[in-house]
Amino acid sequence: MIDIKSRLDTINSLLSEGTKKSLTYAALECRLTIELICYERLKISYDYISHADLKKWQPRNVIEQVAEEANEDVASTFTISISTTPATEGSEPKTQEDYEALSYVPIGTQAGFNIRKLGKLWNALSNVALHVSLPEQKNDQISIYGDIDSTKSKVIEVIEELKKFKDGNLITSGFGKEYSFECNTCGTTLKRKLNLLKNGQVINCISPSCQESYNIYIQGDQAFHSRRVFETPCNECNSNVQIPQRQVEKLRFGQSPLLLDCESCKTPLHIELVPCKKNT
Ligand SMILES: [Zn+2]
Ligand SMILES: [Zn+2]
């Protein structure tokens, strides 16, 4: 886990130097720390979301997507405790009251945060300190560093937010029932949180080298999946050749074609994107 105390020490020492230069570096350290916090929580959720599923890379967007698709508690504060009473067979606790009657010891606490607020601060740091402002006219002065007071106040705001993470000593990938299946091509087990799956959702294999993706269908409280493929008959043996749809979606006009062999007769296939006139 990120050592927040050491991050805060670095930022505070730059802040106390108080120069334009040190405050700019403090702003950069703040921004990097926000990214670290968000990406660390993304990383632990990679069992339930794939890198290929990510729509944007900015920390706020990443965490919002993780909350929607992989772990709704990604930014929540909670403590996990374990009961000191072993459950004996036949007399397991059944009701909420049964569980509440047991004694517990805490294992750890996840520090929560306001996704929107941290995202706004990440943007603001860049606006006040991490760009040279674009001159609008010939007489404008170009300055390396931003306004010292604005930078300082943003750094102080971030420090206050980061202090909230000091009591957190664990992060989790979330709770709840899973829907899982094996990828057709690479055999990796793909797991998703059942309550976060949506009808019509497309999910990608979590293996970075695998091109498979799947359509999700929800009926009642059950989930189903189907492989996303593009199908074309082989010119030689006429058997149906299935190509992962993601490979076809990556094709660009005028760029390298997709080369593969028919699985039945090994005849090479050449798939490329060609503009065609659509008759309506
Ligand atoms: Zn796969
Ligand atoms: Zn063939």
Side-chain angles (χ1 to χ4, degrees):
M1 263 189 83
I2 303 165
D3 183 351
I4 283 287
K5 192 184 166 301
S6 126
R7 299 267 76 232
L8 279 166
D9 288 348
T10 303
I11 298 164
N12 277 317
S13 106
L14 289 163
L15 176 69
S16 60
E17 269 185 52
T19 64
K20 279 189 169 188
K21 198 175 188 178
S22 72
L23 281 163
T24 304
Y25 294 153
L28 178 63
E29 292 286 357
C30 286
R31 203 167 137 102
L32 295 175
T33 307
I34 293 173
E35 289 176 19
L36 265 178
I37 289 168
C38 295
Y39 295 164
E40 184 184 50
R41 293 190 188 210
L42 164 69
K43 199 175 142 217
I44 199 174
S45 296
Y46 264 154
D47 284 338
Y48 300 99
I49 192 167
S50 152
H51 176 258
D53 292 330
L54 295 178
K55 297 182 184 98
K56 293 183 177 173
W57 63 271
Q58 290 85 345
R60 174 184 164 177
N61 301 106
V62 164
I63 289 297
E64 282 174 345
Q65 196 179 344
V66 168
E68 270 173 37
E69 297 181 20
N71 174 11
E72 55 195 340
D73 293 310
V74 65
S76 313
T77 302
F78 56 82
T79 298
I80 296 180
S81 301
I82 188 168
S83 167
T84 49
T85 319
T88 47
E89 212 174 321
S91 62
E92 295 92 349
K94 289 179 185 68
T95 62
Q96 188 176 336
E97 287 74 27
D98 291 345
Y99 280 100
E100 284 172 355
L102 300 173
S103 43
Y104 294 89
V105 286
I107 295 175
T109 297
Q110 175 176 287
F113 61 97
N114 182 326
I115 302 174
R116 185 175 289 190
K117 190 168 188 184
L118 221 53
K120 274 189 172 175
L121 285 170
W122 182 81
N123 279 324
L125 288 164
S126 152
N127 290 338
V128 297
L130 302 174
H131 292 290
V132 170
S133 33
L134 185 79
E136 290 176 15
Q137 51 185 331
K138 210 167 180 181
N139 295 333
D140 282 356
Q141 294 288 323
I142 299 182
S143 161
I144 298 179
Y145 301 117
D147 178 70
I148 193 164
D149 293 330
S150 312
T151 307
K152 194 172 176 179
S153 87
K154 282 297 155 204
V155 168
I156 290 169
E157 265 189 74
V158 175
I159 288 172
E160 287 310 306
E161 283 304 301
L162 294 182
K163 281 181 188 169
K164 297 174 187 169
F165 290 86
K166 281 206 302 194
D167 296 332
N169 55 2
L170 67 77
I171 51 173
T172 78
S173 57
F175 312 99
K177 277 188 185 171
E178 291 175 0
Y179 175 68
S180 67
F181 59 94
E182 281 189 4
C183 174
N184 277 51
T185 299
C186 72
T188 304
T189 302
L190 306 184
K191 295 186 289 184
R192 295 285 163 148
K193 294 283 162 53
L194 186 57
N195 65 330
L196 298 180
L197 282 175
K198 292 169 195 72
N199 192 43
Q201 186 178 349
V202 170
I203 65 168
N204 295 285
C205 179
I206 56 167
S207 167
S209 57
C210 181
Q211 297 296 319
E212 291 294 347
S213 59
Y214 297 86
N215 285 311
I216 296 292
Y217 307 97
I218 305 290
Q219 275 176 15
D221 56 0
Q222 282 197 302
F224 304 89
H225 68 276
S226 70
R227 191 178 165 215
R228 292 175 72 237
V229 285
F230 169 78
E231 294 183 325
T232 186
C234 168
N235 288 347
E236 202 59 37
C237 70
N238 207 37
S239 67
N240 209 15
V241 180
Q242 293 190 323
I243 307 164
Q245 202 160 314
R246 262 173 75 193
Q247 280 190 285
V248 179
E249 286 164 355
K250 282 181 183 166
L251 287 172
R252 294 288 174 269
F253 173 61
Q255 291 184 9
S256 315
L258 184 58
L259 303 170
L260 61 156
D261 295 338
C262 165
E263 276 188 17
S264 303
C265 71
K266 305 298 172 206
T267 299
L269 262 86
H270 183 121
I271 309 283
E272 66 178 54
L273 201 63
V274 180
C276 73
K277 177 170 160 275
K278 191 176 174 188
N279 291 321
T280 52

